[in-house]
Amino acid sequence: MSTPALSALPVRPLTLRDLPACTSLAYDRGWSPEEHKWRLLLAAGHGVGMDAPDGRGLLGACTLTDFGPHEAPAFTAIGMMLIADRYAGRGFGRHLLEYVIHHSGSVPLTLYASAGVLPLYRKLGFTSVGRAAAATGHLTAPGALPDLPGLTLSPARASDLPRVLRLDAEVFGTDRTPLITRLPAFADRFLVAEEDGELTGFAARWPNTGAEVVGPLVARDTRTAQALIAGLAEGSTRPLRVDVDVRHTALLEWLGEHGMPVVATSELMTRALPGLPGDWTRRFAPLTVAAA
């Protein structure tokens, strides 16, 4: 079967019914299936994709997560951008991205990109505004944490959610209710940090293929971030991964000294947005780089 011209290839919305096709597409490209993450992103946001003309599942797909008011998002995060291996290098990735740009209208876009695709994104108007470093491994010697008088960590309760949402909106600079309200069901562990009754941070640990991911990670300072990671590491026998904003050098050094070196970096890029809003000094890591 011949491949139709790019202009004739329809792009359609994805729903949770497309979850098996999304994980199959990931397998096809040598990615981990990451079904748990796909499910969250399609439920909290939405996605678009193209059906393969040979009838073998999806030719390509990506997820889209809107932040801010539903009727007027502050920005949309693009994630999980994938093209089937047999169609790679033929312009389909660009076609899908141009579709997203066109249909986003005036809404700014964000994404995390690996080095290989930076030239394409730059040609389409994206600008590099930061980087994330993926620190991975088994956290060792969490007892080496500095003394933190007054700091308490506890599992998040339903009554904590309004405070978590307020702090998250303050730190990330926009409303992220669809993502954050799904954290209790999505995560294996969800901790809040308090000092003198004030919420000073929160973090979650959720299962992914081959590792447990720490994210989001919001903290008043590096010591609180360290405490939250150490608390989340308790009871886990699998490697941890946390995608740290590279400006948090002290946290990255501490992770490297405690069994979690940086194994990869990704570029944070934006289109029609000078940078992520909010307070980066307390924003240590996103929930996932697929939803900046």
Short mmCIF file of all heavy atoms in Angstrom, two decimals, residues 22-65:
data_model
loop_
_atom_site.label_atom_id
_atom_site.label_comp_id
_atom_site.label_asym_id
_atom_site.label_seq_id
_atom_site.Cartn_x
_atom_site.Cartn_y
_atom_site.Cartn_z
N CYS A 22 -1.30 3.15 21.47
CA CYS A 22 -0.21 4.04 21.90
C CYS A 22 0.96 3.24 22.47
O CYS A 22 2.12 3.52 22.16
CB CYS A 22 -0.73 5.03 22.94
SG CYS A 22 -1.88 6.27 22.31
N THR A 23 0.66 2.25 23.30
CA THR A 23 1.74 1.45 23.86
C THR A 23 2.40 0.58 22.79
O THR A 23 3.62 0.36 22.84
CB THR A 23 1.23 0.57 25.02
OG1 THR A 23 0.16 -0.27 24.56
CG2 THR A 23 0.71 1.43 26.17
N SER A 24 1.65 0.13 21.81
CA SER A 24 2.24 -0.63 20.69
C SER A 24 3.17 0.26 19.88
O SER A 24 4.23 -0.18 19.42
CB SER A 24 1.14 -1.20 19.79
OG SER A 24 0.38 -2.17 20.46
N LEU A 25 2.77 1.52 19.69
CA LEU A 25 3.62 2.47 18.98
C LEU A 25 4.93 2.69 19.73
O LEU A 25 6.01 2.78 19.13
CB LEU A 25 2.87 3.79 18.80
CG LEU A 25 3.59 4.90 18.04
CD1 LEU A 25 3.93 4.48 16.62
CD2 LEU A 25 2.73 6.17 18.03
N ALA A 26 4.83 2.78 21.06
CA ALA A 26 6.04 2.93 21.87
C ALA A 26 6.96 1.73 21.72
O ALA A 26 8.18 1.87 21.53
CB ALA A 26 5.66 3.13 23.34
N TYR A 27 6.40 0.53 21.77
CA TYR A 27 7.19 -0.69 21.55
C TYR A 27 7.89 -0.63 20.19
O TYR A 27 9.06 -0.98 20.05
CB TYR A 27 6.29 -1.92 21.59
CG TYR A 27 6.14 -2.57 22.94
CD1 TYR A 27 4.87 -2.74 23.50
CD2 TYR A 27 7.24 -3.05 23.65
CE1 TYR A 27 4.72 -3.35 24.75
CE2 TYR A 27 7.09 -3.64 24.88
CZ TYR A 27 5.83 -3.80 25.43
OH TYR A 27 5.68 -4.41 26.66
N ASP A 28 7.15 -0.20 19.18
CA ASP A 28 7.67 -0.16 17.81
C ASP A 28 8.93 0.71 17.72
O ASP A 28 9.86 0.40 16.97
CB ASP A 28 6.59 0.39 16.88
CG ASP A 28 7.07 0.55 15.45
OD1 ASP A 28 7.10 -0.46 14.71
OD2 ASP A 28 7.44 1.69 15.06
N ARG A 29 8.98 1.79 18.51
CA ARG A 29 10.13 2.69 18.47
C ARG A 29 11.20 2.33 19.50
O ARG A 29 12.16 3.08 19.69
CB ARG A 29 9.68 4.13 18.68
CG ARG A 29 8.98 4.76 17.49
CD ARG A 29 9.68 4.52 16.16
NE ARG A 29 11.06 5.00 16.12
CZ ARG A 29 11.45 6.14 15.55
NH1 ARG A 29 10.55 6.93 15.00
NH2 ARG A 29 12.71 6.47 15.53
N GLY A 30 11.02 1.21 20.19
CA GLY A 30 12.00 0.81 21.18
C GLY A 30 11.86 1.51 22.52
O GLY A 30 12.75 1.44 23.36
N TRP A 31 10.74 2.21 22.71
CA TRP A 31 10.45 2.83 24.00
C TRP A 31 9.84 1.80 24.93
O TRP A 31 9.31 0.76 24.51
CB TRP A 31 9.43 3.95 23.83
CG TRP A 31 9.97 5.24 23.30
CD1 TRP A 31 11.07 5.43 22.52
CD2 TRP A 31 9.38 6.53 23.48
NE1 TRP A 31 11.20 6.76 22.21
CE2 TRP A 31 10.18 7.46 22.78
CE3 TRP A 31 8.26 6.99 24.17
CZ2 TRP A 31 9.89 8.82 22.75
CZ3 TRP A 31 7.97 8.34 24.13
CH2 TRP A 31 8.78 9.25 23.43
N SER A 32 9.86 2.10 26.23
CA SER A 32 9.07 1.34 27.18
C SER A 32 7.59 1.66 26.93
O SER A 32 7.26 2.76 26.49
CB SER A 32 9.44 1.71 28.61
OG SER A 32 10.80 1.42 28.86
N PRO A 33 6.69 0.73 27.21
CA PRO A 33 5.27 0.98 26.90
C PRO A 33 4.67 2.12 27.72
O PRO A 33 3.81 2.85 27.22
CB PRO A 33 4.59 -0.35 27.23
CG PRO A 33 5.54 -1.06 28.14
CD PRO A 33 6.91 -0.64 27.73
N GLU A 34 5.07 2.26 29.00
CA GLU A 34 4.62 3.37 29.85
C GLU A 34 3.11 3.54 29.85
O GLU A 34 2.58 4.66 29.79
CB GLU A 34 5.30 4.68 29.44
CG GLU A 34 6.83 4.63 29.53
CD GLU A 34 7.48 5.96 29.30
OE1 GLU A 34 7.31 6.51 28.20
OE2 GLU A 34 8.15 6.46 30.21
N GLU A 35 2.39 2.43 29.96
CA GLU A 35 0.93 2.48 29.91
C GLU A 35 0.35 3.37 31.01
O GLU A 35 -0.61 4.11 30.78
CB GLU A 35 0.36 1.07 30.02
CG GLU A 35 -1.16 1.03 29.99
CD GLU A 35 -1.73 -0.38 30.06
OE1 GLU A 35 -0.97 -1.34 29.84
OE2 GLU A 35 -2.94 -0.51 30.34
N HIS A 36 0.94 3.29 32.20
CA HIS A 36 0.43 4.08 33.32
C HIS A 36 0.48 5.58 33.01
O HIS A 36 -0.46 6.32 33.28
CB HIS A 36 1.27 3.76 34.57
CG HIS A 36 0.70 4.25 35.85
ND1 HIS A 36 -0.58 3.94 36.28
CD2 HIS A 36 1.24 5.04 36.84
CE1 HIS A 36 -0.81 4.50 37.45
NE2 HIS A 36 0.28 5.18 37.81
N LYS A 37 1.59 6.02 32.40
CA LYS A 37 1.74 7.43 32.06
C LYS A 37 0.83 7.83 30.90
O LYS A 37 0.21 8.90 30.92
CB LYS A 37 3.21 7.74 31.73
CG LYS A 37 3.46 9.20 31.41
CD LYS A 37 4.94 9.56 31.49
CE LYS A 37 5.75 8.93 30.41
NZ LYS A 37 7.15 9.42 30.40
N TRP A 38 0.77 6.99 29.85
CA TRP A 38 -0.15 7.28 28.74
C TRP A 38 -1.58 7.46 29.26
O TRP A 38 -2.29 8.38 28.85
CB TRP A 38 -0.14 6.14 27.72
CG TRP A 38 0.96 6.14 26.72
CD1 TRP A 38 2.08 5.35 26.72
CD2 TRP A 38 1.05 6.93 25.52
NE1 TRP A 38 2.86 5.60 25.62
CE2 TRP A 38 2.26 6.56 24.86
CE3 TRP A 38 0.25 7.91 24.94
CZ2 TRP A 38 2.66 7.13 23.65
CZ3 TRP A 38 0.65 8.48 23.74
CH2 TRP A 38 1.83 8.10 23.11
N ARG A 39 -1.99 6.57 30.17
CA ARG A 39 -3.36 6.63 30.68
C ARG A 39 -3.61 7.96 31.39
O ARG A 39 -4.66 8.59 31.21
CB ARG A 39 -3.61 5.46 31.64
CG ARG A 39 -5.06 5.35 32.12
CD ARG A 39 -5.22 4.20 33.10
NE ARG A 39 -4.90 2.92 32.48
CZ ARG A 39 -5.76 2.20 31.76
NH1 ARG A 39 -6.99 2.67 31.57
NH2 ARG A 39 -5.40 1.04 31.24
N LEU A 40 -2.66 8.39 32.22
CA LEU A 40 -2.82 9.67 32.92
C LEU A 40 -2.93 10.83 31.94
O LEU A 40 -3.81 11.68 32.05
CB LEU A 40 -1.63 9.91 33.85
CG LEU A 40 -1.58 11.30 34.48
CD1 LEU A 40 -2.66 11.44 35.55
CD2 LEU A 40 -0.20 11.60 35.06
N LEU A 41 -2.02 10.87 30.95
CA LEU A 41 -1.98 12.01 30.04
C LEU A 41 -3.21 12.08 29.15
O LEU A 41 -3.69 13.16 28.82
CB LEU A 41 -0.71 11.94 29.20
CG LEU A 41 0.60 12.10 29.97
CD1 LEU A 41 1.79 11.83 29.08
CD2 LEU A 41 0.70 13.49 30.61
N LEU A 42 -3.75 10.93 28.77
CA LEU A 42 -4.96 10.92 27.95
C LEU A 42 -6.21 11.23 28.77
O LEU A 42 -7.20 11.73 28.23
CB LEU A 42 -5.12 9.58 27.24
CG LEU A 42 -4.11 9.28 26.14
CD1 LEU A 42 -4.29 7.86 25.61
CD2 LEU A 42 -4.23 10.29 24.99
N ALA A 43 -6.15 10.94 30.09
CA ALA A 43 -7.30 11.23 30.95
C ALA A 43 -7.29 12.68 31.42
O ALA A 43 -8.33 13.35 31.44
CB ALA A 43 -7.30 10.29 32.16
N ALA A 44 -6.11 13.18 31.82
CA ALA A 44 -6.02 14.55 32.33
C ALA A 44 -5.95 15.57 31.20
O ALA A 44 -6.28 16.73 31.38
CB ALA A 44 -4.78 14.70 33.22
N GLY A 45 -5.52 15.11 30.02
CA GLY A 45 -5.43 15.98 28.86
C GLY A 45 -6.10 15.33 27.66
O GLY A 45 -7.18 14.77 27.77
N HIS A 46 -5.41 15.35 26.54
CA HIS A 46 -5.94 14.71 25.35
C HIS A 46 -4.75 14.40 24.44
O HIS A 46 -3.59 14.62 24.82
CB HIS A 46 -6.97 15.60 24.64
CG HIS A 46 -6.50 16.99 24.35
ND1 HIS A 46 -6.30 17.49 23.08
CD2 HIS A 46 -6.17 18.03 25.18
CE1 HIS A 46 -5.90 18.74 23.14
NE2 HIS A 46 -5.81 19.10 24.39
N GLY A 47 -5.02 13.87 23.30
CA GLY A 47 -3.95 13.53 22.38
C GLY A 47 -4.45 13.57 20.95
O GLY A 47 -5.65 13.64 20.69
N VAL A 48 -3.50 13.53 20.01
CA VAL A 48 -3.84 13.46 18.59
C VAL A 48 -2.92 12.42 17.96
O VAL A 48 -1.82 12.15 18.44
CB VAL A 48 -3.68 14.82 17.87
CG1 VAL A 48 -4.71 15.81 18.35
CG2 VAL A 48 -2.27 15.38 18.04
N GLY A 49 -3.40 11.82 16.88
CA GLY A 49 -2.61 10.81 16.21
C GLY A 49 -3.05 10.60 14.78
O GLY A 49 -4.05 11.17 14.32
N MET A 50 -2.27 9.80 14.08
CA MET A 50 -2.56 9.45 12.68
C MET A 50 -2.58 7.93 12.57
O MET A 50 -1.67 7.25 13.06
CB MET A 50 -1.47 10.02 11.77
CG MET A 50 -1.32 11.53 11.85
SD MET A 50 0.11 12.15 10.88
CE MET A 50 1.49 11.57 11.88
N ASP A 51 -3.60 7.40 11.93
CA ASP A 51 -3.67 5.96 11.69
C ASP A 51 -2.76 5.58 10.54
O ASP A 51 -2.67 6.29 9.53
CB ASP A 51 -5.11 5.55 11.38
CG ASP A 51 -6.03 5.72 12.58
OD1 ASP A 51 -5.68 5.22 13.66
OD2 ASP A 51 -7.08 6.37 12.43
N ALA A 52 -2.06 4.47 10.70
CA ALA A 52 -1.14 4.01 9.66
C ALA A 52 -1.93 3.57 8.43
O ALA A 52 -2.92 2.83 8.56
CB ALA A 52 -0.28 2.87 10.17
N PRO A 53 -1.54 3.99 7.23
CA PRO A 53 -2.28 3.59 6.03
C PRO A 53 -2.20 2.10 5.72
O PRO A 53 -3.03 1.58 4.98
CB PRO A 53 -1.61 4.42 4.92
CG PRO A 53 -0.29 4.80 5.46
CD PRO A 53 -0.46 4.93 6.94
N ASP A 54 -1.22 1.39 6.34
CA ASP A 54 -1.13 -0.05 6.12
C ASP A 54 -2.02 -0.83 7.09
O ASP A 54 -2.02 -2.06 7.10
CB ASP A 54 0.32 -0.53 6.22
CG ASP A 54 0.95 -0.26 7.60
OD1 ASP A 54 0.22 0.15 8.52
OD2 ASP A 54 2.18 -0.45 7.73
N GLY A 55 -2.80 -0.11 7.93
CA GLY A 55 -3.72 -0.76 8.85
C GLY A 55 -3.09 -1.30 10.11
O GLY A 55 -3.77 -1.95 10.91
N ARG A 56 -1.81 -1.02 10.32
CA ARG A 56 -1.10 -1.56 11.47
C ARG A 56 -0.98 -0.51 12.57
O ARG A 56 0.07 0.02 12.85
CB ARG A 56 0.28 -2.07 11.05
CG ARG A 56 0.23 -3.27 10.11
CD ARG A 56 1.56 -3.50 9.41
NE ARG A 56 2.68 -3.57 10.35
CZ ARG A 56 3.96 -3.47 9.98
NH1 ARG A 56 4.27 -3.27 8.70
NH2 ARG A 56 4.92 -3.55 10.89
N GLY A 57 -2.11 -0.20 13.20
CA GLY A 57 -2.10 0.70 14.35
C GLY A 57 -1.87 2.15 13.99
O GLY A 57 -2.27 2.63 12.93
N LEU A 58 -1.21 2.85 14.89
CA LEU A 58 -0.96 4.28 14.72
C LEU A 58 0.35 4.52 13.97
O LEU A 58 1.36 3.87 14.24
CB LEU A 58 -0.88 4.97 16.08
CG LEU A 58 -2.18 5.12 16.87
CD1 LEU A 58 -1.90 5.59 18.29
CD2 LEU A 58 -3.12 6.12 16.17
N LEU A 59 0.29 5.47 13.05
CA LEU A 59 1.51 5.92 12.39
C LEU A 59 2.28 6.86 13.31
O LEU A 59 3.51 6.85 13.35
CB LEU A 59 1.15 6.62 11.08
CG LEU A 59 2.28 7.15 10.18
CD1 LEU A 59 1.80 7.26 8.75
CD2 LEU A 59 2.81 8.51 10.64
N GLY A 60 1.55 7.70 14.04
CA GLY A 60 2.18 8.65 14.95
C GLY A 60 1.19 9.14 15.98
O GLY A 60 -0.02 8.99 15.82
N ALA A 61 1.71 9.72 17.07
CA ALA A 61 0.85 10.20 18.14
C ALA A 61 1.61 11.17 19.02
O ALA A 61 2.85 11.18 19.05
CB ALA A 61 0.34 9.03 18.98
N CYS A 62 0.86 11.99 19.76
CA CYS A 62 1.43 12.80 20.83
C CYS A 62 0.31 13.16 21.80
O CYS A 62 -0.87 13.10 21.46
CB CYS A 62 2.12 14.06 20.31
SG CYS A 62 1.02 15.31 19.62
N THR A 63 0.70 13.50 23.02
CA THR A 63 -0.27 13.94 24.03
C THR A 63 -0.20 15.45 24.18
O THR A 63 0.83 16.08 23.91
CB THR A 63 0.01 13.28 25.39
OG1 THR A 63 1.33 13.61 25.82
CG2 THR A 63 -0.16 11.77 25.30
N LEU A 64 -1.30 16.03 24.65
CA LEU A 64 -1.41 17.48 24.83
C LEU A 64 -2.06 17.74 26.19
O LEU A 64 -3.17 17.25 26.45
CB LEU A 64 -2.26 18.10 23.72
CG LEU A 64 -1.75 17.85 22.29
CD1 LEU A 64 -2.82 18.21 21.28
CD2 LEU A 64 -0.47 18.63 22.04
N THR A 65 -1.37 18.46 27.05
CA THR A 65 -1.88 18.75 28.38
C THR A 65 -2.03 20.25 28.53
O THR A 65 -1.05 21.00 28.46
CB THR A 65 -0.91 18.22 29.46
OG1 THR A 65 -0.64 16.83 29.22
CG2 THR A 65 -1.53 18.36 30.84
#
